[in-house]
Amino acid sequence: MNIYTFKHEADFNATGAGLIASLLHTKPRSVLGMATGSSPIGIYQRLIEMNRQGLVSFAKASTYNLDEYVGLPEGHPESYRSFMNEKLFNYIDIKMENTHVPDGNAADLEEECRKYDAMLEENGPVDLQILGLGHNGHIGFNEPGESLIGGTHVVELQEKTRTANARFFPSLADVPTQAITMGVGSILKAKQILLLVRGEDKAEIVKRALKGPITSQCPASLLQCHPNVVVLLDQGAGGLLS
């Protein structure tokens, strides 16, 4: 596991974007695992700039998002499909049919999970999986618990997760209670993982995830078992690491 802490946001973003761009240069048909949330936004903006400058192309790449809320229409401004379109896909040369986000409005959610796993199996493994980190240690929407599920599944969102995401909605009551998420097993199949964490409020969970015991009570701690993880932290998030 390679851990880097950055004083300046521009360096954080340039490093993350550079890692993704380098992969696309060596393997134009890369399979990228995408994440939403605030941590990757600056990296996506940098990739848009690089794409406009002709420094990187997504024309042959494909993407698979980690998760999606259940019950939000695809066009809802807080759906993760909308997020990805507005923060990245609409502004780069990727083919929209090569971008994949779980369908949180599928008539049969269990069948949607099976279909998503089948696509990952057929087109994977993911070359580089981008991850954020929840305050409770979740990756994707894999919440802490007595056990974890390996494949894509429907999850009941914990109150801490819904509260953290309530700032994007009119009220807590408007935050969905369920999501579809890739399982931890699917995440760990990626050839390389890029974990992005910002903010002093994440310092304690960063320490638990990267240096603490490996446990299902902190799903991100399982990243310690992966052979190729790059962690990018700002100074706040990395403040408790020695």
Side-chain angles (χ1 to χ4, degrees):
M1 182 178 290
N2 297 301
I3 303 172
Y4 303 93
T5 302
F6 296 88
K7 182 177 181 180
H8 301 293
E9 183 177 358
D11 295 332
F12 180 107
N13 295 333
T15 300
L19 187 66
I20 297 165
S22 294
L23 173 63
L24 289 166
H25 290 156
T26 57
K27 187 179 180 183
R29 295 187 183 277
S30 290
V31 179
L32 302 175
M34 311 306 287
T36 56
S38 57
S39 292
I41 288 177
I43 290 172
Y44 293 162
Q45 290 172 343
R46 178 66 185 133
L47 287 170
I48 291 169
E49 294 169 6
M50 294 174 73
N51 184 244
R52 287 174 176 168
Q53 295 166 3
L55 300 176
V56 66
S57 175
F58 294 82
K60 297 179 180 179
S62 59
T63 67
Y64 290 85
N65 261 69
L66 281 167
D67 42 29
E68 177 61 283
Y69 287 119
V70 168
L72 288 187
E74 183 175 303
H76 190 285
E78 297 306 329
S79 77
Y80 288 165
R81 165 54 77 178
S82 292
F83 178 101
M84 292 306 305
N85 288 350
E86 290 302 316
K87 302 301 183 185
L88 183 65
F89 295 154
N90 287 346
Y91 307 102
I92 58 175
D93 61 343
I94 198 165
K95 296 177 181 176
M96 200 61 76
E97 63 266 28
N98 289 341
T99 67
H100 305 89
V101 180
D103 182 2
N105 290 291
D108 186 335
L109 293 175
E110 297 301 327
E111 178 61 22
E112 174 63 15
C113 293
R114 287 191 289 269
K115 286 169 54 180
Y116 210 69
D117 278 341
M119 283 196 298
L120 288 167
E121 190 69 28
E122 181 179 355
N123 300 307
V126 169
D127 292 293
L128 186 149
Q129 176 65 62
I130 302 169
L131 294 177
L133 177 63
H135 288 88
N136 61 0
H138 72 232
I139 47 177
F141 270 131
N142 292 281
E143 302 280 36
E146 293 301 317
S147 61
L148 297 170
I149 297 174
T152 302
H153 59 285
V154 178
V155 62
E156 296 289 334
L157 300 179
Q158 293 186 1
E159 199 68 13
K160 192 169 185 178
T161 299
R162 295 182 66 244
T163 300
N165 291 345
R167 66 189 188 276
F168 302 116
F169 292 84
S171 70
L172 179 60
D174 295 296
V175 182
T177 59
Q178 292 183 314
I180 295 179
T181 184
M182 281 190 204
V184 173
S186 299
I187 291 169
L188 293 177
K189 287 179 181 178
K191 295 178 183 178
Q192 184 175 38
I193 290 173
L194 177 61
L195 178 65
L196 310 171
V197 195
R198 303 176 191 263
E200 187 177 354
D201 59 322
K202 296 283 183 74
E204 180 62 39
I205 195 61
V206 165
K207 183 179 179 180
R208 283 182 59 201
L210 304 186
K211 302 296 184 180
I214 298 171
T215 169
S216 62
Q217 296 297 336
C218 179
S221 67
L222 274 76
L223 297 178
Q224 296 178 44
C225 301
H226 195 280
N228 190 359
V229 178
V230 175
V231 183
L232 306 186
L233 309 171
D234 66 8
Q235 285 192 311
L240 296 182
L241 298 181
S242 57

